Amino acid sequence: MKKFYFSLVVAFMAMTTVASAQFVQSQTTTQSKSTIGNVFSSMTTDDYNRIYVGYNPSKITWSEYQSDYEEGYPLKHGITVGYLHGSNIVKNLPLYIEWGANFQYLFGKEHFSDDDWKETYSMNVYSVNVPVNLAFRFSFMDNGLSITPYLGVNLRLNVAGKWRTQGEEYYYGEWEDWDEEIKIFSKDEEDGFGDYAFKRFQVGFNVGVNFSYKAFNIGVGYVTDFSKIVNWDEDGEKLNGKLGVTTLSLGINF
């Protein structure tokens, strides 16, 4: 998966470099312009808007004990609803600044059991994200097709989230159960994580590509946080975690 996202970055940089070189050449060399032509002359530079929904495979990458903490704090899936606007920034070149906002719900669950013991860990996070991207929109006017790779940053504000443990244990001939729920972003000692509260704000790296045909859009993107959602330090022993979220989206352009 990492190789795939790296390939997107390389492809974006290569296409942008070629595009810029072609644009400069078409502006500064009249003869070349008349014989070769500007490859982008037929591409639209109109602004665009998009509303979309997405599915989000997600994961916290821990600095140590990955398998144990991944099971204990399971963020595996997600749903996103969002809006995006693309604004052209260079005349006669399909180079855009994209910005928008989306609401995201991430969740996950892990089950464990033995002959006389059962337990379930579950977790959810509600967040608001603001992506800001540099995008290059390759459009084909004849058939309404466009391909738009992008790079940028993502600002995430975690509004709320909970961690829950439920279980049963067979003890002296009877089943005893428990159910505990904790607010992961709260520093309250009674119903929150106290000093181990998760961080509410993250800044991340954003990369992906969108494919549009007329009004319809499909996209794939990935956000990996620069800042940590977890940063624990107990008696000099440090443990941190960063959130990574993939988005597979369907949208409408207008």
Side-chain angles (χ1 to χ4, degrees):
M1 185 65 74
K2 290 183 178 179
K3 291 182 179 180
F4 169 72
Y5 296 122
F6 178 74
S7 298
L8 284 179
V9 174
V10 173
F12 178 85
M13 294 176 65
M15 288 185 290
T16 304
T17 301
V18 172
S20 300
Q22 179 63 42
F23 176 72
V24 171
Q25 183 179 14
S26 67
Q27 295 295 310
T28 58
T29 308
T30 304
Q31 182 179 2
S32 176
K33 186 176 181 178
S34 62
T35 56
I36 300 176
N38 187 348
V39 69
F40 303 117
S41 62
S42 63
M43 295 186 184
T44 180
T45 55
D46 294 342
D47 291 0
Y48 53 88
N49 299 279
R50 181 180 304 130
I51 54 175
Y52 60 92
V53 295
Y55 167 66
N56 306 106
S58 56
K59 178 181 179 180
I60 298 177
T61 300
W62 297 85
S63 58
E64 294 185 70
Y65 315 113
Q66 176 66 34
S67 60
D68 292 337
Y69 280 97
E70 189 175 350
E71 291 177 347
Y73 299 95
L75 281 185
K76 296 182 176 183
H77 312 284
I79 299 172
T80 295
V81 178
Y83 164 80
L84 189 74
H85 174 75
S87 181
N88 178 252
I89 58 175
V90 179
K91 185 179 180 180
N92 299 326
L93 187 67
L95 186 64
Y96 290 80
I97 288 291
E98 293 183 334
W99 53 267
N102 64 68
F103 177 77
Q104 195 168 81
Y105 171 58
L106 303 179
F107 58 93
K109 184 177 290 188
E110 283 283 355
H111 301 279
F112 306 91
S113 64
D114 205 338
D115 293 339
D116 57 358
W117 169 78
K118 301 175 184 178
E119 189 166 18
T120 299
Y121 295 126
S122 58
M123 186 175 177
N124 61 57
V125 172
Y126 299 87
S127 65
V128 175
N129 296 268
V130 177
V132 181
N133 305 318
L134 181 66
F136 205 93
R137 188 186 188 195
F138 294 89
S139 60
F140 306 92
M141 299 291 286
D142 293 340
N143 56 18
L145 175 68
S146 68
I147 302 173
T148 311
Y150 63 85
L151 289 171
V153 296
N154 184 74
L155 309 178
R156 175 191 302 276
L157 176 63
N158 298 309
V159 179
K162 292 182 179 180
W163 178 86
R164 187 179 184 183
T165 175
Q166 300 168 279
E168 292 181 296
E169 184 175 13
Y170 193 72
Y171 188 71
Y172 286 105
E174 294 183 355
W175 283 96
E176 297 183 356
D177 58 18
W178 66 88
D179 189 341
E180 181 182 12
E181 191 172 80
I182 302 176
K183 299 175 181 178
I184 64 173
F185 298 108
S186 172
K187 292 187 177 182
D188 191 290
E189 295 291 346
E190 293 186 6
D191 62 354
F193 263 28
D195 293 337
Y196 297 94
F198 283 52
K199 306 297 182 182
R200 285 193 179 273
F201 182 73
Q202 287 86 49
V203 178
F205 171 71
N206 201 18
V207 60
V209 62
N210 281 288
F211 302 90
S212 290
Y213 178 69
K214 296 183 178 179
F216 300 98
N217 183 87
I218 61 173
V220 57
Y222 181 69
V223 175
T224 180
D225 289 334
F226 298 137
S227 50
K228 306 173 181 67
I229 191 170
V230 173
N231 193 13
W232 295 335
D233 187 348
E234 184 176 12
D235 298 327
E237 185 175 348
K238 296 183 179 181
L239 179 69
N240 59 69
K242 292 184 178 181
L243 182 61
V245 179
T246 299
T247 298
L248 307 173
S249 65
L250 294 174
I252 300 293
N253 300 319
F254 60 96

